[in-house]
Amino acid sequence: MNLKSLYLLPALLLTHSAALAAPKFSNNLKPRSAEKIIYFEQNGKFGAKTTSGKIIVPAQYNCKFICEHGETTGDELLFLDKSREVRGKVAYSPFFLHSRQGKFLYQPMMYDLASDYFSEGKRRYVSKDGKVGFADRADNLVTPAQHDWAGQFEYGYAAFCDDCREVRVDEEHTAVQGGTWGMMDARGNTVAPSDTRRAASDIERNGKFYPHPFTYTAAERDILQRINRYKNLIVGLEAVHHSPYKTAEERAAYRFEIVSQPVQGYPYYEIVLFDGKGNTVEGERFLAGADGKRLYALPVGEETPLPLETHLRHDIRSTLAEQPKRQKSGSWNDNPFRLKDYPEAKALLKRRK
């Protein structure tokens, strides 16, 4: 696949549609302040205040699309104001993010008609001159805003381009094309690829090879060792929902990586399951507590992490309950789940009893 046309963007970005879609999942497990913060309107502008009346953000934004007088602000104190948007050659943001103490933080990039969501602990922001950088969950700007556009992080790398442009592909999508392209690491450094694989752990992207990007402390290696005890089971439960058949070699190539560490307000290591090609396996996310001792799963659409073993027991039971129906219909039956193939599953169910 051509890197220069890999990233499709909704064409509605070009028309600044007011219809805002919800993010793909909740990004925030941060504790909220004791007192709720609500939006308020004054002279046609919106700000935020506590329910007791303390002004947090003075009324200054034309925020009619996501702000409503008297409504709580949610996890993030986010405003939208198209009259004050920043726009570069490709990147665009009408959003303004403040801390819950009122300090302006940065402008999250517009993505899929909403503010960008976190991927591997980072999300994109747009600077005043229209360049793209990345911020972490503690609201630190962890890479400088230096490129005209950048994709989200996957397997420790993010594609970027300079002097590129948005081109309409069809009625609903545009593509980012042209210009000079490259890959950056989590610190924002450009990484030069190799034409050949230098190590077994290298990852291939568009015919080029990049080194394994993750390094771990002894405590982090221990976290990976413990979650890897469940890898065969987790991959088996994930494979049930996919076709075609996954070979033993393909399953063995799956691997866990720690993609972000605990930061202030987000006390978790984030662990992602990747396939053998370094592609993120969609589904639940996995977490470890800041002390590294407890493992959790965060199912899709949920905001509260569950103890990993609790989640796996539930997933095993629901998968086994659906198996007869799946076998009868013939749908998604290329990778059946057989309890006898997973001694760790039987041990989990027995331990619960």
Side-chain angles (χ1 to χ4, degrees), residues 188-224:
N189 301 316
T190 300
V191 179
S194 172
D195 292 328
T196 58
R197 188 183 297 276
R198 297 175 178 175
S201 58
D202 284 358
I203 190 69
E204 183 179 358
R205 290 287 185 265
N206 302 288
K208 300 291 184 178
F209 295 91
Y210 296 84
H212 181 263
F214 303 107
T215 57
Y216 298 119
T217 64
E220 291 167 345
R221 287 193 295 272
D222 181 66
I223 291 171
L224 289 174

Side-chain angles (χ1 to χ4, degrees), residues 8 47 91 101 179 200 241 267 282 310-311:
L8 297 180
Q101 291 72 45
H241 305 286
E282 298 298 333
T310 300
H311 168 74

Side-chain angles (χ1 to χ4, degrees), residues 2-7 149-151 158-165 175-183 190-191 193 206 210:
N2 188 340
L3 181 67
K4 296 183 179 181
S5 59
L6 179 62
Y7 300 94
W149 186 84
F160 67 84
C161 64
D162 292 306
D163 296 319
C164 42
R165 64 190 186 281
V176 181
Q177 296 180 349
T180 302
W181 288 73
M183 284 281 192
T190 300
V191 179
N206 302 288
Y210 296 84

Side-chain angles (χ1 to χ4, degrees), residues 307-324:
L308 178 60
E309 291 191 354
T310 300
H311 168 74
L312 289 176
R313 276 191 287 267
H314 178 270
D315 206 3
I316 293 165
R317 292 190 179 105
S318 62
T319 298
L320 291 174
E322 294 168 359
Q323 196 89 316

